[in-house]
Amino acid sequence: MKVGIVGAGFVGSTAGFAMVTTGAASEVVLVDSNAKLALAQAHDIAHAVPFAHAAVVRHGDYAELDGAGVVVLAAGVGQKPGETRLQLLERNARIYADIIPKVLAATPDAVLLVASNPVDVMTQIATRISGLPAGRVVGSGTILDTARFRALLGARLGLTPRSVHAVVVGEHGDSEVLLWSGATAAGLAVEDFAAQTGRPMTAGDRAAIDDGVRRAAYRIIDGKGHTAFGIGGGLARLVAAIGGDERAVITCSILNPDVAGVPEVALSLPRVVGAGGVLGTVMPPLTDEEEAALKRSAEILKDAAVSVEGAL
């Protein structure tokens, strides 16, 4: 499948590299306001093709997106010193208002895959600007947070993360909700699995895992200034699911008609992802505490979206 990537910075270029090395895309076109950067990134990724899957990697302008099945929106600006979150949102929303019409003019049937932060609010803004059905505007959301949750649980249980089933819902950010009540390994609740294998899970273990998931991005950014590899892999996974019509269940963000009584808000829940984007949503059973936390997360995101939409 042909994939366009608008924004050739750390996230966009790493996502393109991951798509090539995993075989998620047969053609990748990088578009950036800095054409020199897009060209350099395309050449660099193309030089990895002989070691990976056959693919064409190039740069171009918006017209070169024609025929793309998915376009990743990784464009945006970073937060300036002293700038509020709302001011950052307003600047990134204006960027989206400029690029989304150009993308859709070139490839009107594409799924838009939102990667710019804050991703949930940007997903809501992209849905409004594009006028597309909610399922065709998919934010990466908590796909990475879910991966981190499974990785840390796997390490604690002595298992590969692939044998752990657990999800993070709500905001991709501080108010995200780790669904401990549904976390399983070998068909058992993770606490039961841990007890049976002689490694009982304590409240301290749970707190450490929660902190490890919730604060991961802060620690990575403190050490290297940005995150890219994890989200790049997550975006490639979403592209593979869409291109292959996998109908895989992945936690990602779309604009929901209602979540926990909060109307019209974008956040992450488990979604069925296949050709055309999100085909369905699954609401997992929640404890009272988890439901209250999800409602708080939805309210935070709704307030942010309303504020920035009103300022545009």
Side-chain angles (χ1 to χ4, degrees), residues 204-217:
D205 293 328
R206 286 179 54 139
I209 290 171
D210 184 284
D211 181 74
V213 174
R214 201 176 301 275
R215 305 295 298 175

Side-chain angles (χ1 to χ4, degrees), residues 24 236-250 272-275 279:
R237 179 70 191 97
L238 282 163
V239 166
I242 294 167
D245 192 20
E246 290 185 19
R247 298 171 185 252
V249 177
I250 300 173
V272 180
V273 180
L279 308 179

Side-chain angles (χ1 to χ4, degrees), residues 142-304:
T142 59
I143 187 172
L144 180 54
D145 309 274
T146 290
R148 290 166 173 161
F149 191 18
R150 292 176 178 175
L152 290 173
L153 278 172
R156 174 61 183 77
L157 299 172
L159 297 174
T160 170
R162 292 178 178 270
S163 292
V164 177
H165 299 278
V167 298
V168 178
V169 298
E171 179 191 13
H172 170 57
D174 293 342
S175 72
E176 64 191 22
V177 185
L178 282 65
L179 298 188
W180 283 93
S181 65
T184 64
L188 300 173
V190 291
E191 290 88 351
D192 293 340
F193 183 93
Q196 284 198 32
T197 54
R199 303 174 64 183
M201 187 172 294
T202 66
D205 293 328
R206 286 179 54 139
I209 290 171
D210 184 284
D211 181 74
V213 174
R214 201 176 301 275
R215 305 295 298 175
Y218 293 99
R219 295 187 174 105
I220 294 169
I221 291 169
D222 182 60
K224 61 182 262 188
H226 67 276
T227 63
F229 295 117
I231 188 56
L235 292 166
R237 179 70 191 97
L238 282 163
V239 166
I242 294 167
D245 192 20
E246 290 185 19
R247 298 171 185 252
V249 177
I250 300 173
T251 53
C252 54
S253 185
I254 66 169
L255 181 59
N256 307 273
D258 181 277
V259 176
V262 180
E264 295 294 312
V265 61
L267 53 69
S268 285
L269 291 169
R271 319 279 187 186
V272 180
V273 180
V278 168
L279 308 179
T281 295
V282 180
M283 177 58 77
L286 306 174
T287 65
D288 290 345
E289 182 180 2
E290 289 167 345
E291 185 167 4
L294 180 59
K295 181 178 178 66
R296 287 195 299 273
S297 188
E299 289 170 341
I300 289 168
L301 291 168
K302 177 69 173 182
D303 289 346

Side-chain angles (χ1 to χ4, degrees), residues 11-250:
V11 171
S13 60
T14 305
F17 175 75
M19 291 173 205
V20 167
T21 55
T22 60
S26 59
E27 182 177 357
V28 175
V29 179
L30 293 169
V31 178
D32 197 280
S33 58
N34 182 345
K36 186 175 180 181
L37 173 65
L39 174 63
Q41 299 283 36
H43 282 175
D44 201 11
I45 296 168
H47 296 162
V49 168
F51 310 112
H53 298 265
V56 174
V57 185
R58 57 194 177 88
H59 85 297
D61 57 21
Y62 287 93
E64 299 298 318
L65 299 175
D66 180 30
V70 175
V71 176
V72 177
L73 304 179
V77 292
Q79 195 163 357
K80 295 179 179 178
E83 185 177 39
T84 68
R85 185 170 180 264
L86 179 57
Q87 289 170 327
L88 172 63
L89 271 171
E90 290 173 6
R91 290 200 294 141
N92 278 338
R94 291 190 183 98
I95 290 172
Y96 267 37
D98 177 60
I99 67 176
I100 288 175
K102 296 175 182 177
V103 169
L104 293 178
T107 181
D109 297 324
V111 173
L112 302 184
L113 184 51
V114 178
S116 308
N117 275 320
V119 69
D120 300 292
V121 181
M122 294 306 297
T123 299
Q124 183 154 345
I125 290 167
T127 305
R128 299 294 194 213
I129 292 170
S130 68
L132 295 175
R136 279 184 55 196
V137 184
V138 183
S140 56
T142 59
I143 187 172
L144 180 54
D145 309 274
T146 290
R148 290 166 173 161
F149 191 18
R150 292 176 178 175
L152 290 173
L153 278 172
R156 174 61 183 77
L157 299 172
L159 297 174
T160 170
R162 292 178 178 270
S163 292
V164 177
H165 299 278
V167 298
V168 178
V169 298
E171 179 191 13
H172 170 57
D174 293 342
S175 72
E176 64 191 22
V177 185
L178 282 65
L179 298 188
W180 283 93
S181 65
T184 64
L188 300 173
V190 291
E191 290 88 351
D192 293 340
F193 183 93
Q196 284 198 32
T197 54
R199 303 174 64 183
M201 187 172 294
T202 66
D205 293 328
R206 286 179 54 139
I209 290 171
D210 184 284
D211 181 74
V213 174
R214 201 176 301 275
R215 305 295 298 175
Y218 293 99
R219 295 187 174 105
I220 294 169
I221 291 169
D222 182 60
K224 61 182 262 188
H226 67 276
T227 63
F229 295 117
I231 188 56
L235 292 166
R237 179 70 191 97
L238 282 163
V239 166
I242 294 167
D245 192 20
E246 290 185 19
R247 298 171 185 252
V249 177
I250 300 173

